[in-house]
Amino acid sequence: MISVADALAQLFALVSPLAPEDVALTQANGRVLAQDVHATRNQPPFAASAMDGYAVHAQAIKPGQSFDVIGEAAAGHRWEGTVGPGQTVRIFTGAPLPAGTDHVIIQENITRDGDVITLDDSANDNPCVRPAGADFRTGDTVKAPRTLTPSDIALLAAMNIATVPVTRQPVVAIIATGDELVQPGETPGEDQIIASNSYGLAALVQTLGATARLLPIARDNVASLELAFDLAADADLIVTIGGASVGDHDLVGDVAQAKGMQRSFYKVAMRPGKPLMAGRMGHAAMIGLPGNPVSAMVCGHIFLAPVIRKMLGLGTHPAPRETLLLAQDIKANGPREHYMRAHAGPDGVTIFDRQDSALLTVLADANCLAVRPINDPERKRGTPIDIIRL
């Protein structure tokens, strides 16, 4: 068995960031920016009023001063001309400042009589002006890589970037294996169960920004597994679930190798998830996950997610951890790194009593995995522990 860190390093070696592609701005949210992009204009492109009021020259401001109103400026409708001494232009938020002005008196600080305004005794020391280029300037850069958020999309739109270079989404083919499985919605036989792992992993893959391709269940025979691998041949990453152990019906490894898989490793010193297999098959990387539901999902977070992030150009990083305090005493850990279902709350990290790798209800109640190193000694309530958020 190899360590989790060694397994992850070998998995990273199997994949590379995918090529960029251009997508419309409307399709870029959640995608990974593949190349730096640059603003094509200043924002704002002109000195603009930040308030509704009256545009004047700052040097003319003093309590009780009167100004003649000679025009009006609104957003999208600038006032052409130059404002002279003793003059002002009625201005609204977002409108360009007229020539000869550099200050906006807010409308609450004046009285108006016809076309004459008079300032009150307020200091009027806030210019209420957004300078040209105050937000960004032509050539300013949005750095790659980054997963684009709605705020990023708004920024790119303001920069007048309509087409965005993003990393191509990896296609992940997911193959559940086993005669005991039927699809959700079907009627299982007395000795069958519903295929759940593939759906949970597909949801994880899609959350990560990849494309999940759920293939038909592969049965426990060579022909069915060969067909499944043939259907997955054009994927970027092939994920099998189950059939990778050492029993008489565990055929995935043998069939994969017969199909040309170059195996990198088999078995990892972790709980849950010991029977983990990885290698390359054609131009695709392959990860063989264990069949127990929780084992498959935990390995999805620990191995599959970082691999997909590398394929998206987001670097080679393990699942992010944070350190919190235990809400309970816990016993010593054994010879495998243990990823324990737990809940992080106001009182600290509570590790659930039941850690059987078949219990999806416990996984659904968990919001984190508490990480126990190999041979970790017992810990007392209030001591730190690393967690991985789910």
Side-chain angles (χ1 to χ4, degrees):
M1 290 188 292
I2 65 173
S3 70
V4 171
D6 286 344
L8 192 55
Q10 292 191 45
L11 283 168
F12 284 145
L14 294 174
V15 298
S16 300
L18 300 180
E21 62 181 3
D22 290 335
V23 300
L25 183 63
T26 54
Q27 303 300 313
N29 184 48
R31 300 292 298 271
V32 175
L33 186 67
Q35 300 166 350
D36 295 351
V37 293
H38 307 283
T40 64
R41 67 199 307 266
N42 295 338
Q43 178 69 9
F46 41 74
S49 177
M51 301 289 285
D52 294 343
Y54 294 84
V56 300
H57 195 283
Q59 291 183 343
I61 298 173
K62 61 181 180 180
Q65 179 69 42
S66 295
F67 297 88
D68 294 328
V69 181
I70 60 173
E72 183 175 289
H77 302 279
R78 69 169 58 242
W79 186 80
E80 302 290 351
T82 300
V83 177
Q87 296 179 328
T88 187
V89 166
R90 176 73 164 123
I91 196 166
F92 297 92
T93 303
L97 260 67
T101 69
D102 58 4
H103 199 105
V104 174
I105 305 295
I106 62 174
Q107 59 192 15
E108 292 83 357
N109 290 354
I110 65 95
T111 56
R112 181 166 178 169
D113 183 10
D115 288 334
V116 176
I117 65 167
T118 302
L119 307 189
D120 63 12
D121 292 336
S122 302
N124 289 310
D125 52 359
N126 183 350
C128 299
V129 173
R130 298 182 179 123
D135 193 1
F136 57 80
R137 294 186 175 275
T138 301
D140 281 357
T141 303
V142 178
K143 298 288 289 183
R146 64 193 287 165
T147 301
L148 296 171
T149 66
S151 296
D152 294 322
I153 299 303
L155 175 60
L156 296 177
M159 289 178 166
N160 202 22
I161 297 170
T163 303
V164 188
V166 296
T167 305
R168 182 173 68 80
Q169 293 179 305
V171 176
V172 182
I174 300 174
I175 306 171
T177 70
D179 288 343
E180 75 278 14
L181 300 178
V182 299
Q183 298 286 9
E186 296 180 353
T187 302
E190 292 183 357
D191 56 355
Q192 290 183 308
I193 60 174
I194 308 300
S196 59
N197 305 349
S198 49
Y199 288 87
L201 289 167
L204 175 63
V205 163
Q206 290 167 339
T207 299
L208 293 164
T211 299
R213 183 194 298 168
L214 276 171
L215 296 183
I217 295 169
R219 300 305 171 186
D220 289 326
N221 62 74
V222 171
S224 183
L225 284 165
E226 287 180 337
L227 176 59
F229 283 124
D230 288 343
L231 292 173
D234 60 345
D236 300 296
L237 178 61
I238 301 170
V239 177
T240 62
I241 309 166
S245 191
V246 292
D248 292 340
H249 300 282
D250 296 318
L251 304 174
V252 170
D254 292 341
V255 174
Q257 288 186 285
K259 284 284 188 180
M261 184 191 75
Q262 299 172 346
R263 193 163 76 180
S264 295
F265 64 84
Y266 171 61
K267 292 187 180 179
V268 180
M270 68 179 293
R271 296 176 59 197
K274 174 183 171 183
L276 188 83
M277 178 175 58
R280 285 205 65 86
M281 181 180 289
H283 80 279
M286 176 188 161
I287 303 176
L289 300 179
N292 276 331
V294 175
S295 300
M297 291 301 296
V298 168
C299 288
H301 287 283
I302 303 306
F303 298 113
L304 182 57
V307 165
I308 288 175
R309 283 193 283 266
K310 181 179 179 182
M311 298 174 81
L312 287 168
L314 293 173
T316 55
H317 308 287
R321 298 186 183 191
E322 57 186 283
T323 302
L324 299 178
L325 300 181
L326 278 167
Q328 67 194 121
D329 297 346
I330 54 175
K331 296 179 181 179
N333 188 37
R336 287 188 282 162
E337 195 166 314
H338 199 175
Y339 294 82
M340 307 183 77
R341 282 152 286 171
H343 188 276
D347 297 326
V349 178
T350 301
I351 296 176
F352 297 137
D353 292 333
R354 300 195 301 163
Q355 292 292 325
D356 189 302
S357 59
L359 302 179
L360 281 172
T361 51
V362 180
L363 181 64
D365 287 339
N367 64 5
C368 67
L369 298 171
V371 184
R372 304 293 308 280
I374 293 172
N375 297 323
D376 189 39
E378 66 177 22
R379 302 192 190 196
K380 297 296 185 181
R381 177 180 178 179
T383 58
I385 190 165
D386 284 352
I387 68 163
I388 296 170
R389 296 279 183 179
L390 295 177

